[in-house]
């Protein structure tokens, strides 16, 4: 059966684990040749690649720190030189740091803003430059968060980065529409991934959160990947400039504890 992404090349940042890994698996399952980007854990990236290849998919691994512009340029260059194109970009790499506002350090602020916002900004710039020169269309999907819109006290830098991503997406949808490049955000709520390790291990935090979610459970990375795959596919050809929330209803039911 023909896959929705046959002949397409996708770069997914932070795809050695969590949502990024599920997105790479899903796009590869449907025919995409995927570039698995990682920063610190080559063994996880290699395991993600092997899993895709064993399932009959195609993937390569590339180390790139999204906070470094030379690295983001190289990541897109690798897709073009080794796989012949780069049609889909999923800006997934993300970090969060919690602290009382008065205790936030400059180092933590810079890390969160640089990974979540600067990384997506300049990687998208490299992605778009190549497509513009090749006169090809493309898809940008940012993994944002419900916190691009919803408050998350003690995670101010995370909220600022995701709010920035929301406006970046809206702006780029306008500017890149004429190039045939669509730009959308996927805004997950609470999803069981490594970014939530502390939450998952702390019932005092987890239980009230689950009570806030109308569907009564956390989401899975696979559920998020299904939405990303839709936005990356031809079925979403008329979709640009929007955020797609996937949160079990959390955003409609948020209460301060
Ligand atoms: C954050 C999680 C949080 C969830 C729901 C996500 O963006 O990464 O830490 O639990 O939003 O609040």
């Amino acid at each position: 059966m023909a896959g929705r992404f046959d002949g397409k090349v996708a770069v997914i940042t932070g795809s050695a684990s969590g949502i990024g890994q599920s997105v790479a698996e899903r796009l590869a399952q449907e025919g995409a040749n995927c570039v698995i980007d990682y920063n610190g854990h080559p063994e996880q990236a290699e395991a993600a690649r092997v899993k895709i290849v064993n399932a009959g998919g195609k993937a390569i691994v590339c180390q790139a720190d999204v906070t470094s512009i030379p690295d983001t340029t190289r990541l897109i260059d690798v897709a073009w030189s080794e796989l012949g194109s780069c049609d889909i970009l999923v800006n997934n790499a993300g970090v969060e740091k919690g602290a009382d506002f008065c205790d936030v350090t400059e180092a933590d602020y810079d890390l969160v803003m640089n990974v979540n916002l600067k990384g997506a900004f300049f990687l998208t710039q490299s992605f778009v430059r190549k497509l513009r020169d090749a006169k090809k269309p493309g898809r940008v999907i940012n993994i944002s968060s419900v916190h691009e819109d919803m408050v998350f006290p003690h995670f101010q830098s995370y909220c600022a980065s995701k709010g920035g991503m929301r406006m970046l997406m809206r702006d780029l949808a306008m500017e890149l529409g004429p190039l045939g490049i669509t730009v959308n955000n996927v805004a997950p709520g609470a999803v069981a991934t490594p970014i939530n390790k502390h939450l998952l291990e702390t019932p005092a935090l987890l239980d009230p959160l689950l009570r806030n979610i109308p569907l009564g459970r956390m989401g899975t990375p696979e559920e998020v990947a299904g939405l990303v795959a839709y936005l990356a596919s031809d079925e979403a050809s008329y979709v640009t400039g929007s955020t797609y929330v996937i949160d079990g209803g959390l955003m409609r039911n948020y209460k301060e504890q």
Side-chain angles (χ1 to χ4, degrees), residues 120-198:
F121 190 107
F122 285 103
L123 183 58
T124 304
Q125 187 184 62
S126 295
F127 174 75
V128 169
R129 282 178 175 162
K130 288 277 198 184
L131 288 176
R132 178 200 56 191
D133 295 349
K135 297 193 170 26
K136 287 186 77 177
R139 295 292 160 88
V140 179
I141 297 132
N142 299 318
I143 307 302
S144 166
S145 164
V146 286
H147 301 298
E148 69 163 49
D149 192 40
M150 188 173 97
V151 297
F152 195 11
H154 309 286
F155 289 84
Q156 323 79 0
S157 57
Y158 185 71
C159 289
S161 71
K162 297 298 185 177
M165 193 176 232
R166 178 184 178 98
M167 283 311 299
L168 177 63
M169 172 276 291
R170 291 177 174 184
D171 242 52
L172 293 186
M174 295 288 296
E175 197 171 330
L176 305 180
L179 299 179
I181 298 172
T182 66
V183 190
N184 292 289
N185 282 10
V186 165
V191 178
T193 69
I195 206 173
N196 280 314
K197 192 172 178 297
H198 177 61

Side-chain angles (χ1 to χ4, degrees), residues 90-107:
V90 182
N91 284 308
N92 165 76
V95 292
E96 65 186 41
K97 291 277 180 187
D100 288 347
F101 178 61
C102 289
D103 299 332
V104 175
T105 64
E106 184 179 3

Side-chain angles (χ1 to χ4, degrees), residues 23-235:
V23 168
E25 283 174 13
R26 177 65 187 261
L27 298 183
Q29 224 174 55
E30 297 196 45
N33 204 336
C34 291
V35 181
I36 297 173
D37 155 71
Y38 73 97
N39 187 21
H41 291 280
E43 70 297 341
Q44 285 181 1
E46 181 54 18
R49 186 192 69 80
V50 167
K51 198 170 166 204
I52 287 175
V53 170
N54 287 345
K58 289 175 284 185
I60 62 169
V61 164
C62 181
Q63 192 279 337
D65 173 356
V66 297
T67 69
S68 148
I69 294 178
D71 276 23
T72 53
T73 308
R74 184 171 47 78
L75 181 57
I76 300 296
D77 284 348
V78 162
W80 281 87
S81 62
E82 294 197 20
L83 307 176
S85 184
C86 186
D87 313 284
I88 299 162
L89 171 63
V90 182
N91 284 308
N92 165 76
V95 292
E96 65 186 41
K97 291 277 180 187
D100 288 347
F101 178 61
C102 289
D103 299 332
V104 175
T105 64
E106 184 179 3
D108 278 356
Y109 174 91
D110 284 347
L111 176 72
V112 171
M113 294 302 280
N114 287 344
V115 172
N116 298 2
L117 189 56
K118 179 185 172 190
F121 190 107
F122 285 103
L123 183 58
T124 304
Q125 187 184 62
S126 295
F127 174 75
V128 169
R129 282 178 175 162
K130 288 277 198 184
L131 288 176
R132 178 200 56 191
D133 295 349
K135 297 193 170 26
K136 287 186 77 177
R139 295 292 160 88
V140 179
I141 297 132
N142 299 318
I143 307 302
S144 166
S145 164
V146 286
H147 301 298
E148 69 163 49
D149 192 40
M150 188 173 97
V151 297
F152 195 11
H154 309 286
F155 289 84
Q156 323 79 0
S157 57
Y158 185 71
C159 289
S161 71
K162 297 298 185 177
M165 193 176 232
R166 178 184 178 98
M167 283 311 299
L168 177 63
M169 172 276 291
R170 291 177 174 184
D171 242 52
L172 293 186
M174 295 288 296
E175 197 171 330
L176 305 180
L179 299 179
I181 298 172
T182 66
V183 190
N184 292 289
N185 282 10
V186 165
V191 178
T193 69
I195 206 173
N196 280 314
K197 192 172 178 297
H198 177 61
L199 173 76
L200 290 163
E201 289 167 352
T202 317
L205 295 174
L206 185 58
D207 296 346
L209 173 67
L210 293 182
R211 282 199 293 276
N212 267 349
I213 301 174
L215 291 183
R217 63 170 177 88
M218 292 181 80
T220 66
E222 292 75 19
E223 287 170 318
V224 179
L227 179 54
V228 174
Y230 163 71
L231 290 170
S233 76
D234 287 346
E235 291 170 82

